[in-house]
Structure formats: structure tokens, C-alpha cells
Amino acid sequence: MPGRDLARALAAWLAPAPCSGWQSLPDSVTVATGTAPDGRRVHVVHNWSWQPATAQAPVDLTDALDGGLVPAGTPVRLGAWDVRVLAAAPEAAAEER
């Protein structure tokens, strides 16, 4: 299991924050962002801590597991060591780039 600093540096190298749209993340939260074959931006949001954390959705997103909508500006709550996979609508993906 990588340490928090290594995980943060690795995530920043793989998906720099300016291109993902996520801002003001808590120290324990990292976001890896990629592009799905259909052009949607997919965000893997991970809390690397035993303490719950909250991040703010940068654009309208859909939860990949339950299909729930996460409007832009909504808090994304993460439990201890929690992971959320969120996808942007195709039109929101264009705004992120």
C-alpha cells in the first residue's frame, strides 16, 4: 500500500488537477481522471484515510455504481478508504478539457 504522499504525487502525475477540474481536495483525497471510449471523462475519487472526507463535484456527474446523479457543486462524501467512480456527461466532458 503506497503512502499518502506517494499516492498523491502519482495521481498528480497521472491526472493533473487542472485537467480534471477537481479543486481544493482534502489532503487524503486523490482523483484520477481518464476518458472512456465514448468520450466521457471518468473520475476515480479515493479517500486514503481512516477519516471520512468530502470533495466537491466540478461538473454534473453520474455515479458508475448506482446511476445516481451528482450535480456540479454537490459534496461527494467518501468514507474511510472509500472509492467513488463518477462519469461526466459527454457535454460536461468537453467543458473539462
Side-chain angles (χ1 to χ4, degrees):
M1 190 64 141
R4 180 176 33 177
D5 292 337
L6 174 59
R8 187 177 307 127
L10 183 58
W13 178 73
L14 291 171
C19 113
S20 74
W22 295 81
Q23 299 177 358
S24 303
L25 293 173
D27 288 342
S28 65
V29 175
T30 58
V31 179
T33 301
T35 303
D38 64 3
R40 293 179 303 151
R41 300 289 283 171
V42 178
H43 307 272
V44 179
V45 186
H46 192 263
N47 180 18
W48 297 87
S49 171
W50 289 107
Q51 302 302 315
T54 303
Q56 187 173 3
V59 296
D60 292 340
L61 300 166
T62 302
D63 190 300
L65 293 180
D66 66 14
L69 298 177
V70 181
T74 300
V76 176
R77 289 174 176 54
L78 300 155
W81 299 96
D82 199 4
V83 177
R84 303 275 305 268
V85 179
L86 306 166
E91 60 275 1
E95 293 173 13
E96 288 184 69
R97 292 185 197 142

